């Protein structure tokens, strides 16, 4: 089984490095300056043991890969890049290739199933960072993350069990779960705060905005009749497993990092925007998530620095 990690950023890059170090055949797919840096110097992995360079194969896209039986795609791009990635994959990878969505949000698996027969979801609990080309960081140690996996839309099979075993061999916690989408909706509730984390200053009102966005998302999922893992079940899964590898706070989560790198895009439509979509489908208001989505997209579009908007200014546009 060879792992094709499409999206070698924070989550994908760290996972690809650990898989490679465990002896698992791996090919990374990267782009831009990150691709150039990996090709020239290798991928630098920083974790609780220090820094090391991993000489892992890397490609600019699926067309550069000689596809073979046993290949598995680990799709680790942001949700806004899923469609483009699937188009590239469908042009050269066999339709029977398993596609594993290592992504936040809950719509990636459904989109992948249009093009590929065997699709799996992963509930990613893996704090990681990627701010410099060629460098990724695991922010937890000694276990870098939890990667529970299940077949989409439900169930498990021998492929899911084999992939979970490969994740465990690479140092991660991983369990096959037949109800993986319930776990991913639970993760979505944690992720609706990403857009707030990305744009708002850490000042009075910040925590309340994030809490209101989550409460609103819970109400929407309940009204839509969608099952999700409650916070206490998520917390119990993490327990004492995910331990910080570095002193001091991280700069921010994945959306914050997108703004910090100046990528020009952000994942807000797939996170807060998912709650907005469900709310509209069920005739419900979702002002906090709509405001979060709009502000995050504006910051990405205008190239604004992360965490630079006063919470009071954010609240002033609520519902407007």
């Amino acid at each position: 089984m060879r792992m094709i990690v499409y999206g070698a950023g924070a989550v994908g890059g760290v996972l690809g490095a650990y898989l490679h170090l465990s002896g698992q055949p791996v090919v990374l797919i990267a782009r831009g300056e990150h691709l150039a840096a990996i090709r020239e110097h290798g991928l630098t992995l920083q974790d609780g043991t220090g820094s090391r360079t991993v000489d892992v194969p890397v490609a600019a896209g699926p067309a550069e890969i000689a596809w073979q039986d046993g290949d598995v795609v680990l799709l680790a791009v942001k949700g806004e890049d899923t469609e483009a990635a699937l188009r590239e994959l469908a042009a050269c990878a066999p339709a029977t290739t398993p596609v594993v969505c290592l992504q936040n949000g809950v719509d990636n698996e459904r989109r992948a199933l249009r093009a590929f027969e065997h699709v799996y979801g992963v509930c990613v609990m893996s704090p990681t960072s990627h701010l410099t080309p060629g460098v990724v960081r695991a922010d937890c140690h000694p276990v870098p993350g939890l990667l529970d996996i299940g077949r989409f839309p439900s169930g498990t099979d021998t492929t899911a069990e084999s992939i979970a075993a490969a994740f465990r061999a690479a140092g991660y916690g991983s369990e096959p779960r037949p109800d993986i989408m319930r776990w991913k909706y639970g993760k979505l509730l944690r992720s609706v705060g990403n857009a707030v984390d990305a744009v708002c200053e850490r000042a009075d009102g910040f925590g309340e905005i994030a809490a209101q966005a989550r409460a609103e998302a819970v109400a929407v999922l309940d009204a839509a009749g969608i099952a999700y893992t409650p916070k206490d079940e998520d917390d119990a899964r993490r327990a004492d497993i995910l331990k910080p590898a570095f002193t001091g706070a991280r700069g921010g989560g994945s959306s914050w990092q997108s703004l910090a790198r100046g990528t020009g895009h952000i994942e807000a439509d797939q996170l807060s925007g998912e709650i907005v979509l469900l709310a509209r489908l069920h005739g419900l208001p979702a002002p906090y998530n709509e405001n979060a989505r709009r502000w995050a997209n504006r910051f990405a579009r205008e190239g604004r620095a992360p965490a630079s908007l006063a919470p009071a200014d954010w609240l002033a546009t609520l519902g407007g």
Side-chain angles (χ1 to χ4, degrees):
M1 183 169 58
R2 182 176 63 165
M3 304 291 195
I4 311 297
V5 184
Y6 197 140
V11 169
V14 169
L15 174 58
Y18 282 127
L19 285 168
H20 179 78
L21 290 169
S22 74
Q24 184 75 39
V26 175
V27 178
L28 304 179
I29 295 178
R31 60 189 176 187
E33 294 180 359
H34 192 44
L35 169 65
I38 297 171
R39 279 180 164 166
E40 184 173 356
H41 304 293
L43 178 65
T44 297
L45 172 65
Q46 300 173 342
D47 61 15
T49 67
S51 180
R52 67 195 112 167
T53 299
V54 181
D55 187 18
V56 56
V58 64
E64 290 188 4
I65 297 171
W67 292 85
Q68 59 194 38
D69 290 342
D71 284 344
V72 173
V73 173
L74 304 182
L75 192 60
V77 299
K78 295 292 181 63
E80 67 270 20
D81 295 323
T82 293
E83 287 293 345
L86 288 171
R87 282 196 300 270
E88 289 190 355
L89 285 167
C92 50
T96 55
T97 303
V99 174
V100 181
C101 296
L102 281 149
Q103 300 163 285
N104 287 331
V106 293
D107 193 45
N108 300 293
E109 290 82 0
R110 182 173 177 270
R111 288 184 282 175
L113 198 60
R114 289 193 178 102
F116 292 92
E117 181 179 354
H118 305 290
V119 174
Y120 301 81
V122 172
C123 182
V124 178
M125 303 181 190
S126 182
T128 51
S129 299
H130 167 51
L131 297 173
T132 303
V135 181
V136 293
R137 190 177 85 172
D139 290 312
C140 288
H141 183 81
V143 178
L146 301 174
L147 302 174
D148 292 347
I149 183 172
R151 190 175 178 94
F152 180 78
S154 63
T156 62
D157 57 18
T158 56
T159 298
E161 292 167 0
S162 295
I163 294 169
F167 290 163
R168 290 193 297 270
Y172 288 79
S174 184
E175 296 181 10
R177 294 191 179 275
D179 60 343
I180 192 61
M181 294 311 296
R182 186 175 73 93
W183 284 86
K184 294 204 71 166
Y185 273 101
K187 177 64 185 297
L188 177 64
L189 292 177
R190 290 180 178 267
S191 300
V192 294
N194 287 13
V196 179
D197 172 76
V199 306
C200 281
E201 296 174 348
R202 309 307 189 256
D204 288 346
F206 169 80
E208 179 62 18
I209 292 172
Q212 289 290 344
R214 177 186 171 90
E216 183 179 88
V218 167
V220 169
L221 292 187
D222 286 344
I226 295 174
Y228 55 86
T229 50
K231 186 176 184 300
D232 59 351
E233 190 173 0
D234 269 359
D235 290 343
R237 176 66 178 112
R238 295 166 185 249
D240 295 326
I241 298 174
L242 299 182
K243 299 177 180 180
F246 302 93
T247 58
R250 299 169 68 209
S254 59
S255 295
W256 183 96
Q257 292 175 42
S258 292
L259 295 181
R261 295 200 311 273
T263 63
H265 52 81
I266 198 166
E267 205 172 16
D269 286 343
Q270 288 72 39
L271 303 178
S272 294
E274 183 69 26
I275 299 302
V276 172
L277 172 60
L278 286 169
R280 289 171 177 168
L281 288 172
H282 293 272
L284 300 171
Y288 277 85
N289 283 278
E290 172 64 1
N291 208 39
R293 184 190 71 80
R294 287 181 177 273
W295 269 116
N297 284 328
R298 178 177 175 182
F299 264 56
R301 184 172 60 249
E302 296 176 358
R304 295 172 65 165
S308 59
L309 180 69
D313 292 337
W314 192 101
L315 287 167
T317 61
L318 188 65

